């Protein structure tokens, strides 16, 4: 780092820290600056969650942290998903950190490369690089009750010791490929959309695409431009609405950069208009009914022998799966060199796909856009908490956590983008920031109270999740449709069933009694020095 860059980083972090308005976090910062022992924090994952968390840790004056990521760079899903046309489907002025506005977004919905560059820039601007260890894959973490530390194993056999572990693994990081009969015998290239094979030339080839969700929606038009023919194997159609995208002119970017309010107006306009859309996701919503009718009416002229109504018009309530946005999806489906195949796939042959009607359609390249193992939170990490309780045992009947952030038996372990924190209607970055804030609040309780461990009260967690599941049953996600929001038993494990404002409010501070500190609800007043002084999770 040059002297100028170091000075700029110091200025940003200092200015940013100065914005710490919240009293508790300011106290934490002051206590740490005055020499209070600082917990060693291990952040697993360097995507939006991990990076945002790390910035918040620095803002709170907590420098004893390390971020590890198994990839060779930061960015998480925005590093992995490089398929043609990959872009955000939430406007970028909202899908970015509140503390790192970017006046230079080129378009309303930024493309993947720009989002990745933004995250890289955040890492540099907020001085996170020295805290980062890339190419480190965590395989297991075990709580050592005697020492009150997490012992974390990496795939390379290294052991890390941390007082606090924060996971930022995402919900959409493990591609799912169906176990189709004969798949191993396919002779052409096969890959998942989240691991795009850029070395495979699609020009002039017959391509089969399995799945028609958010990812296929973005790449199919571009693949169709290259391939000689595309078969789209679609199990169920989606609600697809127009994407109101536009480029920002240089004049507008400069205005955002110069204005004292910067990008705040577009950010908050978008936030509130999206927040209002939550009503669409209630069962029996009139907004939902209107949207369903409008979509069906718009699709009617396209219905014909090539595209029968069931291939176009969803038979489930809008919002039950993610509502998709595109301006070229339907025109792509109508192309003469694109076929929508709705007959279920029964097997793969060396050079084609077999469907239930007995047809065999040839293909040279097989692309899976079949989503992710989204309900297997934290997998494949082996997590073992207090008294040998594994996370698999704990979540045997479905993943759940208090506010999606903490779960009993796992002291000092916090989740970012954990169970029931995904959204159907707003920006996940907003939720991640609320989680990071809340985790810092718990850490403030630990450091300022001189305590070593924080563990959510199991009854508080159970009551919270009972109520949450009741609320979830009143949403469209509970309807009869397949989606990654539910686990195999139909339990809604992924989505937050209330407005984001409700979540923000609940995560502003830690309610008294929600956590047990050092194993008891009412912690001792003057405990011995709780944290070992150390620069970071030790090896
Ligand atoms: P997805 O939405 O879960 O879609 C998976 C597709 O594969 C669906 O059409 C599904 O059919 C089909 N499928 C799954 N298993 C199948 C099988 N065994 N046989 C045939 N078809 C099968 O996955 P995705 O498109 O990767 O998107 C996942 C999520 O990632 C999105 O909901 C969104 O949150 C996020 N994403 C965001 C963006 C963005 O713009 N920011 C872009 C891409 C993805 P059914 O619908 O019938 O189950």
């Amino acid at each position: 780092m040059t002297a100028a860059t170091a000075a700029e980083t110091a200025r940003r972090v200092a200015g940013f820290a100065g914005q710490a308005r919240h009293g508790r976090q300011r106290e934490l910062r002051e206590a740490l600056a005055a020499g209070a022992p600082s917990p060693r924090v291990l952040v697993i994952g360097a995507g939006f969650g991990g990076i945002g968390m790390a910035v918040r840790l620095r803002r709170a004056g907590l420098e004893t942290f390390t971020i590890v990521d198994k990839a060779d760079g930061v960015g998480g899903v925005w590093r992995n998903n490089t398929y043609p046309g990959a872009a955000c489907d939430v406007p970028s002025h909202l899908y970015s950190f509140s503390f790192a506005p970017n006046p230079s977004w080129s378009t309303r919905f930024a493309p993947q490369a720009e989002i990745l560059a933004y995250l890289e820039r955040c890492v540099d601007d907020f001085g996170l690089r020295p805290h980062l260890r890339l190419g480190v894959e965590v395989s297991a973490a075990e709580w050592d009750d005697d020492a009150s530390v997490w012992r974390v194993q990496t795939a390379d056999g290294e052991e890390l010791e941390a007082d606090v572990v924060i996971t930022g693994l995402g919900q959409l990081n493990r591609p799912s490929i169906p176990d189709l009969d004969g798949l191993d015998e396919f002779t052409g290239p096969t890959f998942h959309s989240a691991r795009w094979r850029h070395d495979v030339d699609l020009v002039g080839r017959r391509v089969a695409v399995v799945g028609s969700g958010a990812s296929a929606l973005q790449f199919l038009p571009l693949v169709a431009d290259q391939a000689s023919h595309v078969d789209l194997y679609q199990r169920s159609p989606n609600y697809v609405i127009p994407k109101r995208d536009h480029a920002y002119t240089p004049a507008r970017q400069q205005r955002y950069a110069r204005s004292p309010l910067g990008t705040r107006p577009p950010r908050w306009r978008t936030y509130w208009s999206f927040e209002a859309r939550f009503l669409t996701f209630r069962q029996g919503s009139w907004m939902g009914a209107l949207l369903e009718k409008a979509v069906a009416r718009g699709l009617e002229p396209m219905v014909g022998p090539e595209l029968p109504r069931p291939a176009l018009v969803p038979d489930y309530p809008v919002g039950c799966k993610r509502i998709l946005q595109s301006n070229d999806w339907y025109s792509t489906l109508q192309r003469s060199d694109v076929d929508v195949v709705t007959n279920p796939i029964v097997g793969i042959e060396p050079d084609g796909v077999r469907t239930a009607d007995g047809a065999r359609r040839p293909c040279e390249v097989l692309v899976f856009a079949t989503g992710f193992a989204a309900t297997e939170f934290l997998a494949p990490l082996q997590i073992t908490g207090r008294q040998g309780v594994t996370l698999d045992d704990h979540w045997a009947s479905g993943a759940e956590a208090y506010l999606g952030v903490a779960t009993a038996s796992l002291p000092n372990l916090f989740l970012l983008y954990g169970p029931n924190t995904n959204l159907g209607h707003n920006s996940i970055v907003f939720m991640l920031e609320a989680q990071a804030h809340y985790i810092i609040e718990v850490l403030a309780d630990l450091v300022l109270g001189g305590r070593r461990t924080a563990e959510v009260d199991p009854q508080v967690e159970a009551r919270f999740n009972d109520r949450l599941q009741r609320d979830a049953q009143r949403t469209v996600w509970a309807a009869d449709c397949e989606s990654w929001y539910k686990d195999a038993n139909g339990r809604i494990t992924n989505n937050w069933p209330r407005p984001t404002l409700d979540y923000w409010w609940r995560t502003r501070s830690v309610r008294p009694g929600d956590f047990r500190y050092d194993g008891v609800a009412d912690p001792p007043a003057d405990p011995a020095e709780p944290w070992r002084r150390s620069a970071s999770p030790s090896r």
Side-chain angles (χ1 to χ4, degrees):
M1 196 191 282
T2 64
T5 337
E8 172 59 14
T9 299
R11 190 189 65 73
R12 274 174 183 267
V13 172
F16 184 53
Q19 295 167 17
R21 290 182 294 268
H22 197 271
R24 192 99 180 116
Q25 301 199 8
R26 200 175 48 230
E27 273 178 60
L28 171 62
R29 189 177 172 77
E30 285 164 5
L32 290 169
S38 180
R40 298 161 302 168
V41 179
L42 182 71
V43 180
I44 308 174
F48 257 106
I51 292 172
M53 186 72 237
V55 174
R56 293 279 169 170
L57 287 168
R58 292 209 71 195
R59 172 186 185 172
L62 207 154
E63 297 284 348
T64 49
F65 69 91
T66 298
I67 320 167
V68 293
D69 197 296
K70 67 177 178 183
D72 57 2
V74 302
V77 289
W78 293 107
R79 170 165 293 273
N80 294 335
N81 284 271
T82 61
Y83 59 77
C88 197
D89 63 2
V90 173
S92 294
H93 284 305
L94 181 60
Y95 193 86
S96 43
F97 294 120
S98 61
F99 51 78
N102 175 20
S104 312
W105 292 121
S106 64
T107 51
R108 185 161 183 252
F109 298 94
Q112 171 265 338
E114 230 176 280
I115 300 170
L116 182 58
Y118 167 81
L119 287 170
E120 293 272 9
R121 223 162 41 240
C122 286
V123 168
D124 289 325
D125 288 353
F126 292 98
L128 305 183
R129 217 43 91 182
H131 294 268
L132 198 56
R133 287 189 62 202
L134 296 169
V136 176
E137 180 174 0
V138 170
S139 54
E142 187 166 358
W143 175 252
D144 179 337
D145 226 348
D146 297 329
S148 292
V149 294
W150 280 100
R151 303 206 180 281
V152 178
Q153 307 293 329
T154 72
D156 290 343
E158 189 183 351
E159 182 176 298
L160 306 169
E161 190 182 294
D163 300 305
V164 173
V165 170
I166 301 174
T167 62
L169 300 180
Q171 296 186 5
L172 303 169
N173 60 339
R174 298 178 64 223
S176 160
I177 293 185
D179 184 17
L180 293 170
D181 180 44
L183 182 55
D184 289 347
E185 271 100 70
F186 186 70
T187 49
T190 303
F191 54 91
H192 189 278
S193 57
R195 303 287 183 271
W196 197 266
R197 289 267 310 267
H198 292 278
D199 61 321
V200 175
D201 188 5
L202 300 179
V203 176
R205 300 176 87 175
R206 282 189 76 95
V207 179
V209 174
V210 184
S212 61
S215 303
L217 183 96
Q218 294 186 330
F219 70 71
L220 191 82
L222 296 161
V223 167
D225 281 345
Q226 295 185 16
S228 63
H229 183 93
V230 179
D231 285 326
L232 173 70
Y233 292 87
Q234 174 180 271
R235 219 164 42 176
S236 34
N238 285 286
Y239 285 94
V240 183
I241 59 174
K243 191 170 190 180
R244 304 200 186 287
D245 203 1
H246 57 76
Y248 290 115
T249 60
R252 186 130 166 219
Q253 291 169 330
Q254 279 162 21
R255 206 168 65 237
Y256 284 147
R258 274 199 315 263
S259 151
L261 285 177
T263 58
R264 293 284 183 271
R267 181 181 178 84
W268 289 110
R269 237 187 350 260
T270 311
Y271 172 80
W272 287 111
S273 68
F274 277 38
E275 191 67 346
R277 291 183 192 179
F278 176 74
L279 295 173
T280 313
F281 296 85
R282 309 293 296 179
Q283 275 180 25
S285 138
W286 61 267
M287 276 170 80
L290 280 180
L291 187 52
E292 282 167 21
K293 280 203 187 95
V295 169
R297 215 174 26 245
L299 293 175
E300 205 53 43
M302 287 177 226
V303 173
E306 296 298 319
L307 283 171
R309 189 169 287 103
L312 285 171
V313 187
D315 62 358
Y316 53 85
V318 69
C320 187
K321 297 173 194 277
R322 190 169 176 86
I323 301 171
L324 308 181
Q325 304 165 65
S326 170
N327 299 323
D328 49 9
W329 176 248
Y330 292 116
S331 56
T332 303
L333 299 192
Q334 289 175 297
R335 287 173 66 136
S336 58
D337 53 1
V338 173
D339 285 339
V340 181
V341 184
T342 52
N343 243 287
I345 300 174
V346 289
I348 304 295
E349 301 200 341
D351 57 355
V353 177
R354 233 176 332 112
T355 46
D357 57 354
R360 197 197 135 275
R361 304 178 74 93
C363 78
E364 296 167 273
V365 182
L366 191 47
V367 183
F368 287 98
T370 38
F372 301 85
T375 56
E376 296 168 16
F377 293 85
L378 301 196
L381 260 67
Q382 293 296 315
I383 310 258
T384 310
R386 213 185 267 296
Q387 290 164 350
V389 176
T390 67
L391 195 58
D392 290 345
D393 297 339
H394 193 60
W395 284 350
S397 51
E400 62 177 32
Y402 182 56
L403 294 167
V405 165
T407 186
S409 308
L410 303 180
N412 292 11
L413 186 135
F414 304 101
L415 296 94
L416 298 163
Y417 202 12
N420 293 106
T421 59
N422 180 59
L423 298 173
H425 71 291
N426 213 324
S427 168
I428 193 62
V429 182
F430 179 89
M431 298 292 274
L432 291 169
E433 284 197 48
Q435 288 150 25
H437 171 92
Y438 185 77
I439 293 168
I440 300 277
E441 291 284 302
V442 182
L443 296 184
D445 277 354
L446 285 177
V447 173
L448 298 172
R451 300 140 175 175
R452 293 203 60 164
T453 66
E455 183 180 345
V456 69
D457 183 306
Q459 290 180 354
V460 169
E461 185 186 356
R463 272 199 304 274
F464 168 82
N465 279 297
D466 285 350
R467 177 82 199 278
L468 182 139
Q469 286 300 326
R470 279 203 301 278
D471 284 354
Q473 287 308 311
R474 291 190 207 108
T475 65
V476 285
W477 308 316
D480 185 18
C481 89
E482 290 269 333
S483 82
W484 61 267
Y485 304 155
K486 306 187 256 206
D487 68 10
N489 302 319
R491 184 185 167 91
I492 298 166
T493 50
N494 292 62
N495 281 11
W496 175 247
R498 303 184 190 126
T500 64
L501 207 57
D502 178 293
Y503 190 80
W504 174 84
W505 179 250
R506 287 167 191 266
T507 49
R508 288 322 288 157
S509 57
V510 180
R511 269 191 341 179
D514 279 3
F515 278 81
R516 292 177 176 174
Y517 294 100
D518 292 344
V520 285
D522 194 16
D526 185 26
E529 179 167 295
W531 303 112
R532 213 167 283 105
R533 281 165 200 263
S534 151
S536 58
S538 59
R539 286 178 234 169

